[in-house]
């Protein structure tokens, strides 16, 4: 009978110790991860890469590279990049002015060359621009009239290849064309392989024998 108070007293003495132990066993709050500073942004790529160009008297020289630029298709009115649309196909680009009769003859000969090899093997397009002070200038004034004239020329010559003018944003020149392609003369003709590397470049060619040889060298015919 005298043991009961002793057991009760022992229990009461032990209780505070168990409580203190429980407090010490509480988990410390987890340390939150420190926010990492954002990675620095890569420097913007220049809109027009001109330092690595290979130039001819007019246009790009052999070993140069076609680059993307926006155009307006004078038949459909659509705006897009013709170089991009032709993708990995070998492609001819002929550049001239609307009032150059020999340029029109070039386009007929180029169109016949494309038909000879097949549109599945060789693509081509013509760019109508203006030449002022020895350099290409995006046509800005009277663009609707010019587009109509180019469309009529394409129909008159029965061309199958697209005939385009450089696109203009907010009435500004197309520097991706004017500033990069180095067009100084009408009747500039260039041919590039599927990687857009120029394999033929000429101004006012007397014939297209050299262009024909360059095409054969690329497509293996």
């Amino acid at each position: 009978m005298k043991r009961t108070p002793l057991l009760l007293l022992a229990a009461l003495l032990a209780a505070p110790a168990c409580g203190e132990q429980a407090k010490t066993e509480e988990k410390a709050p987890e340390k939150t991860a420190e926010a990492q500073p954002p990675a620095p942004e890569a420097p913007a790529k220049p809109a027009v890469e001109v330092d690595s160009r290979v130039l001819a008297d007019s246009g790009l020289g052999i070993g140069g590279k076609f680059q993307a630029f926006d155009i307006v298709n004078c038949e459909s009115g659509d705006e897009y990049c013709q170089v991009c649309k032709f993708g990995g196909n070998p492609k001819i680009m002929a550049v001239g002015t609307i009032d150059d009769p020999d340029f029109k003859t070039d386009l007929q000969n180029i169109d016949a060359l494309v038909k000879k090899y097949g549109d599945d093997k060789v693509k081509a397009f013509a760019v109508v621009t203006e030449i002022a002070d020895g350099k290409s200038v995006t046509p800005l004034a009277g663009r609707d009239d010019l587009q109509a004239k180019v469309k009529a020329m394409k129909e008159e010559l029965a061309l199958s290849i697209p005939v385009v003018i450089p696109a203009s944003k907010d009435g500004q020149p197309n520097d991706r064309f004017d500033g990069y392609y180095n067009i100084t003369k009408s009747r500039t003709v260039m041919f590039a392989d599927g990687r857009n590397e120029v394999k033929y470049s000429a101004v006012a060619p007397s014939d297209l024998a050299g262009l024909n040889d360059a095409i054969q060298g690329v497509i293996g015919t």
Side-chain angles (χ1 to χ4, degrees), residues 2 10 22-23 28 37-38 52 68 83 104 139 147-149 153 161 191-192:
K2 291 182 181 180
K23 288 181 182 179
S52 59
V83 172
K104 297 177 182 179
Q147 186 175 330
K149 288 179 181 179
M153 179 190 74
I161 64 175
F191 167 69

Side-chain angles (χ1 to χ4, degrees), residues 47-48 50 69 135 138 166-167 172-181:
V48 180
V50 297
F69 66 98
K135 63 179 294 187
T138 301
Q172 297 300 310
N174 187 329
D175 193 50
R176 291 192 71 89
F177 180 73
D178 295 339
Y180 180 79
Y181 277 90

Side-chain angles (χ1 to χ4, degrees), residues 53-62 64-66 93 95 131 134-136 177-191 198 200-203:
R53 289 182 304 169
V54 177
L55 302 181
D57 180 37
S58 179
L60 303 177
I62 294 173
K65 285 274 193 177
F66 282 5
M93 183 194 305
V95 188
I131 307 292
K135 63 179 294 187
S136 171
F177 180 73
D178 295 339
Y180 180 79
Y181 277 90
N182 183 49
I183 303 300
T184 63
K185 296 179 177 68
S186 182
R187 300 184 65 202
T188 298
V189 180
M190 298 168 284
F191 167 69
V198 176
Y200 170 89
S201 180
V203 178

Side-chain angles (χ1 to χ4, degrees), residues 4-215:
T4 300
L6 292 175
L7 290 175
L8 210 48
L9 181 59
L12 291 172
L13 291 173
C18 293
E20 292 297 329
Q21 184 178 3
K23 288 181 182 179
T24 59
E25 290 179 356
E26 289 180 358
K27 291 184 178 180
E30 294 183 1
K31 186 178 181 181
T32 57
E34 295 182 1
Q36 297 297 320
E41 294 183 1
K45 191 176 182 180
V48 180
E49 296 179 359
V50 297
D51 294 341
S52 59
R53 289 182 304 169
V54 177
L55 302 181
D57 180 37
S58 179
L60 303 177
I62 294 173
K65 285 274 193 177
F66 282 5
Q67 281 200 5
F69 66 98
D70 287 340
I71 56 85
V72 174
N73 185 306
C74 291
E75 185 174 33
S76 66
D78 294 336
E79 183 173 326
Y80 59 93
C81 169
Q82 193 71 62
V83 172
C84 307
K85 187 169 183 178
F86 284 161
N89 296 282
K91 53 188 74 71
I92 304 165
M93 183 194 305
V95 188
T97 56
I98 189 68
D99 57 355
D100 186 343
D102 292 330
F103 177 55
K104 297 177 182 179
T105 302
D106 291 341
L107 298 187
Q108 289 177 307
N109 292 335
I110 289 170
D111 195 65
L113 201 58
V114 171
K115 289 175 180 175
K116 170 186 172 181
Y117 287 106
D119 186 63
D120 59 326
K121 292 185 178 178
V122 180
K123 306 285 188 183
F125 69 108
V127 182
V128 174
T129 187
E130 294 177 356
I131 307 292
D133 298 325
K135 63 179 294 187
S136 171
V137 179
T138 301
L140 298 177
R143 284 179 65 86
D144 291 342
D145 289 342
L146 176 61
Q147 186 175 330
K149 288 179 181 179
V150 173
K151 182 179 179 181
M153 179 190 74
K154 183 178 188 294
E155 293 172 353
E156 175 192 350
L157 301 178
L159 300 175
S160 61
I161 64 175
V163 186
V164 309
I165 60 176
S168 170
K169 298 289 187 186
D170 301 321
Q172 297 300 310
N174 187 329
D175 193 50
R176 291 192 71 89
F177 180 73
D178 295 339
Y180 180 79
Y181 277 90
N182 183 49
I183 303 300
T184 63
K185 296 179 177 68
S186 182
R187 300 184 65 202
T188 298
V189 180
M190 298 168 284
F191 167 69
D193 62 14
R195 294 171 295 183
N196 287 327
E197 182 176 335
V198 176
K199 299 297 184 181
Y200 170 89
S201 180
V203 178
S206 57
D207 59 58
L208 296 181
L211 175 57
N212 186 67
D213 290 344
I215 292 172

